[in-house]
Amino acid sequence: MIDFFFAIFAIVFNLSTLDAAVRLSTPLLLAALAGLFSERSSVFDTGLEGKMLAAAFAAGVVAGVTGSAWLGLGAGMLVSVALALVHGFASITHRGNQIVSGVAINFFAAGLTTLLG
Amino acid sequence: MSRGKLPKWVDYGLLPVLNLAAAFFVAGLVVLLIGENPLEAVKILVWGSLGFGEGVGYTLFYATNFIFTGLAVAVAFHVGLFNIGGEGQAYIGGLGVGIACLALDRIVLWWVTFPVAVAGGAVFGAAWALVPAYLQAKRGSHIVITTIMFNFIASSLMVYLLVNVLQKPGSMQPETRNFEAGGQLPLIRDILPGLDLGQAPLNLAFILVLAACVFVWVLVWHSKLGFEIRTFGANQTAAIYAGISPVRIVIITMLISGGLAGLMAINEVMGSQTRLLLEFTAGYGFVGIAVALMGRAHPIGIILASILFGMLYQGGAELAFEKPAITRDMIVVIQGLVILFAGALEHVFRPYLERLFASAPHPAAQAT
């Protein structure tokens, strides 16, 4: 039994696990922060998934074409902000349903990224 | 809500058509972006879905799925809830239908299996909606979050069951054995060979779905329960003050919603596939959201919207075949745009229309 726990301990606490944990928690942290900001302004953002997907697509395309990771990062942020503007236009300017507009963004991004990719 | 200021035909006819036109206009821009001619794409789409008997059969077959899931979303809309879990409820409903068919198909005729399978689908789908409904009613957990999560749980559960429990012995495929004749719904093409439906799997579930539409219409607009549902959806505080139990009404409505979603499996599992297999829901539960929004949560609107989405699915398959650049993901894009314009942006054109029709005499206009 003790051996078993040592084995688990050795798996959990080593450098490569730490490395993977930081890598995998980065998107979760960023998405959580994004959700926190919109929640603070009382907009319930169900469209985070779609925004991240579209941003990842744009970042990948721009970075691949220009060869610059920074331009890719900028493009990803621009696309995500553009989708957030659509979300805001629908749910703040026109008082549409926030959840419905988030779901719409998810579908739009999921479809468009595979269609164009 | 500014509802009631407009003449009825504008509110329920012109406004949805305008929203839809906006969605298709943006979809047309996407087609242009890919480098194809949008008008040609529309021509192929309409011909592929309505141009010949088999196409019409497939269109109506897909529409049957969408009407079931659309009704499920619509019933939940009326109580003010957003049931995004139609996908999972339909998936688990398929388990109920599959168990009924596997148990009875070798013993009795199809019309004995049919009511048992309908009950199985409805009960299993409703059971899958029960936990989110309970959590929403008693604990205030957001129903959107819980139903999304239950979609994932349903997906994992069905993988486990199909791989470990229900799999056909001696097969590597994660699916059950084929149902015998006692577990198959008669196809319309066999009943009415004169219709020239080709290989289209349109089946008796189409009749069942029309009955479900009448059921929802009577339930929501012509029953005491429906009155409570709509009252609670319009104003929770007033409904509670009037003596409507919020826990009871939320749970009952979600059970009906889940049951309707579960019935979708009758069409897919018992009617078309004649076996239970992985991912037979194929996103139909999510299309139900778009359909319910477009159909303004009314059965007739849902039927029309479902036929439109059936056309998109069937015509989209033809389109992907004719124009390889436009894959079936185009449908998902259109779906997203329809949800955006018909759902989230539904009030955009309203002020202009109100200005346009302001001179039209309407009793409600003076009241507000």
Side-chain angles (χ1 to χ4, degrees), chain B residues 134-147:
Chain B
Y134 175 82
L135 289 174
Q136 167 78 46
K138 278 279 189 190
R139 307 263 166 231
S141 312
H142 207 297
I143 196 117
V144 172
I145 310 282
T146 43
T147 46

Side-chain angles (χ1 to χ4, degrees), chain A residues 44-46 49 83 86-117, chain B residues 26 30 33-34 77 82 84 142 144-145 148 283 286-287 289 293 325-330 332-333 335-337 339-341 343-348 351:
Chain A
F44 183 48
D45 195 351
T46 34
E49 180 85 10
L83 283 179
V86 172
H87 196 166
F89 180 72
S91 59
I92 301 168
T93 313
H94 288 287
R95 295 164 184 272
N97 189 323
Q98 302 168 351
I99 296 167
V100 172
S101 104
V103 170
I105 287 171
N106 283 345
F107 274 100
F108 183 67
L112 201 61
T113 46
T114 27
L115 184 66
L116 297 177
Chain B
V26 178
V30 173
L33 187 71
I34 303 170
F77 269 156
F82 192 38
I84 208 168
H142 207 297
V144 172
I145 310 282
I148 288 180
F286 294 121
V287 182
I289 301 167
L293 285 169
I326 307 175
T327 55
R328 298 207 66 170
D329 300 299
M330 188 67 214
V332 183
V333 175
Q335 206 178 313
L337 289 169
I339 296 177
L340 186 68
F341 281 97
L345 288 168
E346 63 172 336
H347 303 310
V348 172

Side-chain angles (χ1 to χ4, degrees), chain A residues 22-114:
Chain A
V22 170
R23 181 165 47 82
L24 292 176
S25 59
T26 308
L28 290 179
L29 269 175
L30 285 170
L33 275 175
L36 179 80
F37 262 91
S38 65
E39 194 70 53
R40 279 269 155 176
S41 66
S42 78
V43 174
F44 183 48
D45 195 351
T46 34
L48 284 173
E49 180 85 10
K51 285 169 190 160
M52 289 177 87
L53 190 60
F57 180 79
V61 168
V62 171
V65 171
T66 62
S68 158
W70 292 108
L71 279 180
L73 177 68
M77 284 165 71
L78 270 183
V79 165
S80 192
V81 167
L83 283 179
L85 280 175
V86 172
H87 196 166
F89 180 72
S91 59
I92 301 168
T93 313
H94 288 287
R95 295 164 184 272
N97 189 323
Q98 302 168 351
I99 296 167
V100 172
S101 104
V103 170
I105 287 171
N106 283 345
F107 274 100
F108 183 67
L112 201 61
T113 46
T114 27

Side-chain angles (χ1 to χ4, degrees), chain B residues 6-58:
Chain B
L6 289 168
K8 260 195 165 168
W9 69 271
V10 178
D11 205 358
Y12 292 101
L14 191 59
L15 198 60
V17 169
L18 269 182
N19 289 332
L20 197 64
F24 277 97
F25 177 73
V26 178
L29 292 183
V30 173
V31 174
L32 267 184
L33 187 71
I34 303 170
E36 294 284 354
N37 184 352
L39 290 178
E40 207 180 322
V42 168
K43 222 173 89 186
I44 297 172
L45 213 148
V46 171
W47 179 83
S49 55
L50 298 178
F52 52 101
E54 191 172 13
V56 176
Y58 268 102

Side-chain angles (χ1 to χ4, degrees), chain B:
Chain B
M1 291 300 278
S2 52
R3 211 164 270 178
K5 277 187 187 174
L6 289 168
K8 260 195 165 168
W9 69 271
V10 178
D11 205 358
Y12 292 101
L14 191 59
L15 198 60
V17 169
L18 269 182
N19 289 332
L20 197 64
F24 277 97
F25 177 73
V26 178
L29 292 183
V30 173
V31 174
L32 267 184
L33 187 71
I34 303 170
E36 294 284 354
N37 184 352
L39 290 178
E40 207 180 322
V42 168
K43 222 173 89 186
I44 297 172
L45 213 148
V46 171
W47 179 83
S49 55
L50 298 178
F52 52 101
E54 191 172 13
V56 176
Y58 268 102
T59 300
L60 290 178
F61 168 73
Y62 290 128
T64 309
N65 287 335
F66 301 147
I67 298 174
F68 274 127
T69 52
L71 287 176
V73 177
V75 168
F77 269 156
H78 282 293
V79 85
L81 296 174
F82 192 38
N83 177 14
I84 208 168
E87 188 83 1
Q89 288 144 17
Y91 209 178
I92 298 296
L95 183 63
V97 173
I99 290 174
C101 291
L102 286 173
L104 295 174
D105 65 340
R106 286 178 176 159
I107 312 168
V108 291
L109 289 168
W110 71 266
W111 49 266
V112 184
T113 317
F114 183 53
V116 182
V118 167
V123 168
F124 275 59
W128 205 246
L130 176 63
V131 179
Y134 175 82
L135 289 174
Q136 167 78 46
K138 278 279 189 190
R139 307 263 166 231
S141 312
H142 207 297
I143 196 117
V144 172
I145 310 282
T146 43
T147 46
I148 288 180
M149 293 308 160
F150 263 68
N151 286 343
F152 289 103
I153 303 175
S155 178
S156 311
L157 179 68
M158 291 298 280
V159 171
Y160 168 77
L161 287 176
L162 282 171
V163 170
N164 294 293
V165 184
L166 294 168
Q167 195 179 31
K168 183 166 78 175
S171 162
M172 290 297 285
Q173 292 285 338
E175 58 190 35
T176 63
R177 67 175 169 82
N178 271 318
F179 306 147
E180 310 280 328
Q184 295 183 7
L185 277 185
L187 299 173
I188 303 283
R189 68 168 192 250
D190 296 332
I191 303 173
L192 300 166
L195 283 181
D196 185 30
L197 288 175
Q199 293 301 309
L202 184 67
N203 55 64
L204 274 192
F206 187 64
I207 311 293
L208 179 70
V209 85
L210 295 180
C213 285
V214 176
F215 165 74
V216 167
W217 181 71
V218 171
L219 171 82
V220 174
W221 283 277
H222 296 275
S223 77
K224 184 165 162 281
L225 181 64
F227 179 71
E228 291 180 17
I229 289 173
R230 284 181 295 131
T231 309
F232 191 82
N235 189 333
Q236 297 196 1
T237 323
I240 293 166
Y241 184 73
I244 296 169
S245 158
V247 174
R248 179 177 155 269
I249 202 77
V250 162
I251 290 185
I252 289 180
T253 313
M254 278 305 287
L255 287 179
I256 295 170
S257 174
L260 284 167
L263 285 182
M264 191 212 94
I266 291 281
N267 189 37
E268 275 290 330
V269 174
M270 199 179 171
S272 159
Q273 306 281 359
T274 66
R275 63 190 193 282
L276 191 57
L277 69 171
L278 282 185
E279 299 295 340
F280 72 85
T281 47
Y284 298 138
F286 294 121
V287 182
I289 301 167
V291 164
L293 285 169
M294 228 173 88
R296 305 296 295 271
H298 190 283
I300 292 179
I302 287 172
I303 292 175
L304 293 175
S306 296
I307 290 174
L308 182 83
F309 266 95
M311 284 171 64
L312 283 177
Y313 260 64
Q314 164 58 16
E318 294 284 333
L319 190 60
F321 184 70
E322 298 270 341
K323 302 246 177 235
I326 307 175
T327 55
R328 298 207 66 170
D329 300 299
M330 188 67 214
I331 305 298
V332 183
V333 175
I334 295 177
Q335 206 178 313
L337 289 169
V338 167
I339 296 177
L340 186 68
F341 281 97
L345 288 168
E346 63 172 336
H347 303 310
V348 172
F349 297 113
R350 192 179 283 276
Y352 303 104
L353 286 177
E354 273 169 7
R355 220 168 297 153
L356 202 61
F357 291 98
S359 53
H362 197 269
Q366 277 110 44
T368 41

